[in-house]
Amino acid sequence: MTGSGARFQDRDEPMRYLHASRVLVRCPRCAEPAVATPCRVACPTCGFTHEGRGWVATAARTTVVLEGRCGGCGRQARVERDVPGTTRDLPVRCAECGAVTRHPARPAVYRSAGGRPLYRGLDLWLQTPCEGRVLWAYDEAHLDYLERYVAAAVREQEPGNASLASRLPAWVKAAGNRDAVGRELRRLRAMLPA
């Protein structure tokens, strides 16, 4: 996929793709595509449903990164730890003041022990190997965004780190990977449920 001559402008793109409300995941029961929201996972193929904010992980352990403010001193904290897949909230001890704050297990893309991206402890449906890494998307809207970005011959964005384009990995942005990334994005598009 070579640049189509299109111009990509990221000025008004919200960060909604990093906080998707509907994510395609692999069903833990039948391994077909299921839809996950912050409070529910539902599979239209086998009827599997799970209500609640906790993970429904199929793996024994998941590595998560928690970022937030300490409940005692208010300092910004970042903690990475292994947790059981069914944990609903995590106690985190502040390195500065020693206060323990419980952080809810928010839906987000975490990495499994094997490096696969996860959402609520489940494998993302839209993921594929690419250039020795994993290329993934939450849903069709996120995939559309990535396709527009990769296909554009000219990519414009506001300075700083406030846009999704600024947070894409360097290997996705690299002009030398444009064909490979574009090919794998087409593969992901073919995986979208009807």
Side-chain angles (χ1 to χ4, degrees):
M1 168 193 253
T2 57
S4 63
R7 183 176 295 267
F8 179 88
Q9 295 179 323
D10 197 38
R11 290 184 178 95
D12 298 320
E13 288 289 342
M15 293 293 284
R16 70 177 178 265
Y17 303 108
L18 294 181
H19 305 289
S21 59
R22 238 182 121 252
V23 176
L24 294 171
V25 296
R26 185 171 308 279
C27 175
R29 182 185 293 160
C30 70
E32 291 297 316
V35 176
T37 65
C39 296
R40 184 168 198 248
V41 176
C43 177
T45 304
C46 70
F48 172 83
T49 59
H50 175 79
E51 302 280 342
R53 288 194 169 270
W55 286 304
V56 291
T58 54
R61 299 192 77 72
T62 303
T63 300
V64 297
V65 176
L66 295 171
E67 294 185 55
R69 297 214 172 268
C70 169
C73 66
R75 293 177 194 247
Q76 187 68 22
R78 183 175 191 274
V79 178
E80 182 173 334
R81 50 191 294 200
D82 288 340
V83 296
T86 57
T87 298
R88 292 187 184 266
D89 60 347
L90 305 172
V92 177
R93 181 175 303 280
C94 177
E96 297 295 324
C97 72
V100 176
T101 306
R102 296 192 73 79
H103 291 275
R106 299 182 320 269
V109 171
Y110 302 125
R111 301 259 177 226
S112 70
R116 295 181 330 272
L118 304 172
Y119 180 87
R120 296 194 65 197
L122 298 171
D123 285 326
L124 293 180
W125 179 254
L126 297 174
Q127 64 175 297
T128 185
C130 182
E131 297 298 306
R133 296 173 177 89
V134 178
L135 180 63
W136 58 268
Y138 281 132
D139 57 15
E140 187 172 8
H142 189 192
L143 185 58
D144 291 343
Y145 178 92
L146 293 171
E147 287 174 328
R148 284 185 297 128
Y149 181 86
V150 170
V154 177
R155 300 169 180 166
E156 297 177 359
Q157 68 187 62
E158 294 292 315
N161 193 24
S163 71
L164 179 57
S166 70
R167 297 180 184 204
L168 290 173
W171 66 272
V172 171
K173 296 179 180 184
N177 291 339
R178 185 182 309 239
D179 289 338
V181 172
R183 182 175 49 253
E184 296 307 321
L185 287 171
R186 287 190 297 277
R187 184 183 314 255
L188 292 178
R189 167 112 6 230
M191 293 171 60
L192 285 170

